[in-house]
Amino acid sequence: MRVRQECGGRKSDVQDCQWIQRLHTYGLLQDLSAEDPYCILRTSLRYRDELVSARSTQLSAYAEGAPTNERTVTQVLSDVTGVSGMAIIEAILAGERDPVKLAK
């Protein structure tokens, strides 16, 4: 079976997979088991990166989606996840709409 050269002779994912399969067939690759501490660490770090990325996206949507008295919380606070920001948001959720009371 011939591999089609893509992008003018550059490597492709198909070629990489075939090369890795050939090396594995010859027994030249180490077996990466789930018990490998480096594998566990890499998986944990990747998952953490995904969570941090998702958190920032959710915080942006959360902050922009909480309007009070024709203003959004981000127009008043620089950090909605800080102590003051969370206190204001909790007060808004409890039904408080008076800006003077929210500022306290």
Side-chain angles (χ1 to χ4, degrees):
M1 176 168 89
R2 295 204 60 163
V3 177
R4 193 178 103 212
Q5 293 285 338
E6 296 180 11
C7 302
R10 290 183 165 181
K11 291 190 330 179
S12 69
D13 290 341
V14 173
Q15 289 172 326
D16 284 343
C17 291
Q18 289 174 341
W19 177 248
I20 291 169
Q21 191 262 339
R22 180 180 286 165
L23 293 175
H24 180 68
T25 302
Y26 297 142
L28 297 174
L29 297 179
Q30 291 179 342
D31 183 28
L32 293 176
S33 67
E35 301 299 318
D36 181 20
Y38 292 110
C39 183
I40 294 169
L41 179 63
R42 275 194 306 273
T43 303
S44 298
L45 290 176
R46 283 186 192 126
Y47 183 60
R48 180 187 180 280
D49 287 343
E50 289 175 19
L51 290 176
V52 168
S53 177
R55 178 182 181 266
S56 63
T57 302
Q58 291 298 318
L59 281 175
S60 295
Y62 173 71
E64 292 301 321
T68 123
N69 296 336
E70 301 175 9
R71 290 188 174 241
T72 59
V73 177
T74 54
Q75 290 174 326
V76 180
L77 296 169
S78 60
D79 181 17
V80 294
T81 60
V83 175
S84 300
M86 293 307 291
I88 290 173
I89 290 172
E90 286 175 11
I92 291 170
L93 293 175
E96 184 60 56
R97 294 292 187 260
D98 183 19
V100 176
K101 289 183 181 178
L102 289 173
K104 289 182 181 179

